Amino acid sequence: MQPPPHSGAVMCKFFASPQGCRFGLACRFSHGMQPMQQQHHQQMPMHAPPHHGGMQHRDPPALLKMHSRMNKHAVAGELSAALALLQQLPSMGLSPTLITFSIIIKGCQKARPPRPDLALQYFDVMVLHHAIPPNVVVYSSLLHVLAAAGDTAKVSALLASMQSVHGVAPNEITFTNLITALGRRRQAQ
């Protein structure tokens, strides 16, 4: 038996693509940021620092709206517009979250040409400056942008360190993204 439409369990990978999801309302996957946000909140420990929010916290509506706007630009490959919105967060009294950085890294992947240098920079800002531990979604996006740029040495190093440094194991989506990015890279050559 299939789950009901838009069950929210898993985000539709086609919804955010330029062509969109061909199944529309009949799609059994979520058409929004809710699954990623739910995963973010479920993975936060109870003792998380206040700027991470803890289990009781939900991102403020203003941040959710900014995430939606940033994601729109990131998916369209408009990295500079997504980064401009990121720069506005402090003036609004908002702090970036795991979702914020996931969107920016995705924007680095969708930019033409891909921007692995910026993706690594914002990954470091997330981990070192904001003390936000990465999850498999962020690692998968970062690996994808590195693979799309053809930087196989950094892909190998990141794959080796993701579990040893942060305890994050790659999953099927991680490997699918890598295979897809490397395959497209090879076809482009």
Side-chain angles (χ1 to χ4, degrees), residues 1 4 17 23 27 30 34 37 48 55 57 61 64 72 86 95 107-108 124 189:
M1 183 172 166
S17 70
F23 296 108
C27 183
S30 175
Q34 185 177 0
Q37 290 167 342
M55 291 299 283
H57 173 75
L64 295 176
K72 176 184 169 199
L86 174 65
S95 296
C108 294
D124 287 343
Q189 292 175 342

Side-chain angles (χ1 to χ4, degrees), residues 75-98:
V75 168
E78 300 165 354
L79 181 58
S80 58
L83 290 173
L85 291 172
L86 174 65
Q87 299 304 320
Q88 291 178 18
L89 292 181
S91 66
M92 298 172 69
L94 301 170
S95 296
T97 65
L98 180 70

Side-chain angles (χ1 to χ4, degrees), residues 35-104:
M36 189 184 300
Q37 290 167 342
Q38 286 173 345
Q39 179 183 12
H40 167 68
H41 290 298
Q42 290 169 353
Q43 289 182 348
M44 289 189 297
M46 289 297 285
H47 61 277
H51 71 279
H52 286 168
M55 291 299 283
Q56 301 301 320
H57 173 75
R58 295 289 179 232
D59 290 336
L63 184 58
L64 295 176
K65 185 174 183 176
M66 290 297 280
H67 283 164
S68 178
R69 292 174 60 199
M70 288 170 64
N71 190 56
K72 176 184 169 199
H73 291 297
V75 168
E78 300 165 354
L79 181 58
S80 58
L83 290 173
L85 291 172
L86 174 65
Q87 299 304 320
Q88 291 178 18
L89 292 181
S91 66
M92 298 172 69
L94 301 170
S95 296
T97 65
L98 180 70
I99 295 168
T100 310
F101 288 105
S102 180
I103 291 168
I104 294 300

Side-chain angles (χ1 to χ4, degrees), residues 3-169:
H6 302 289
S7 65
V10 177
M11 186 169 168
C12 175
K13 69 179 186 177
F14 300 106
F15 177 69
S17 70
Q19 296 83 16
C21 178
R22 68 179 182 193
F23 296 108
L25 294 176
C27 183
R28 57 182 230 183
F29 299 103
S30 175
H31 284 183
M33 294 295 291
Q34 185 177 0
M36 189 184 300
Q37 290 167 342
Q38 286 173 345
Q39 179 183 12
H40 167 68
H41 290 298
Q42 290 169 353
Q43 289 182 348
M44 289 189 297
M46 289 297 285
H47 61 277
H51 71 279
H52 286 168
M55 291 299 283
Q56 301 301 320
H57 173 75
R58 295 289 179 232
D59 290 336
L63 184 58
L64 295 176
K65 185 174 183 176
M66 290 297 280
H67 283 164
S68 178
R69 292 174 60 199
M70 288 170 64
N71 190 56
K72 176 184 169 199
H73 291 297
V75 168
E78 300 165 354
L79 181 58
S80 58
L83 290 173
L85 291 172
L86 174 65
Q87 299 304 320
Q88 291 178 18
L89 292 181
S91 66
M92 298 172 69
L94 301 170
S95 296
T97 65
L98 180 70
I99 295 168
T100 310
F101 288 105
S102 180
I103 291 168
I104 294 300
I105 292 170
K106 179 175 41 176
C108 294
Q109 171 201 334
K110 298 285 187 179
R112 292 296 167 245
R115 295 294 310 270
D117 55 328
L118 280 178
L120 287 166
Q121 179 183 341
Y122 280 101
F123 179 83
D124 287 343
V125 166
M126 178 185 81
V127 173
L128 302 174
H129 180 69
H130 291 281
I132 300 172
N135 65 7
V136 71
V137 174
V138 171
Y139 267 116
S140 295
S141 294
L142 184 57
L143 286 164
H144 191 121
V145 70
L146 291 171
D151 198 338
T152 55
K154 286 184 182 171
V155 167
S156 296
L158 192 63
L159 267 173
S161 72
M162 68 188 276
Q163 189 156 7
S164 64
V165 174
H166 291 107
V168 177

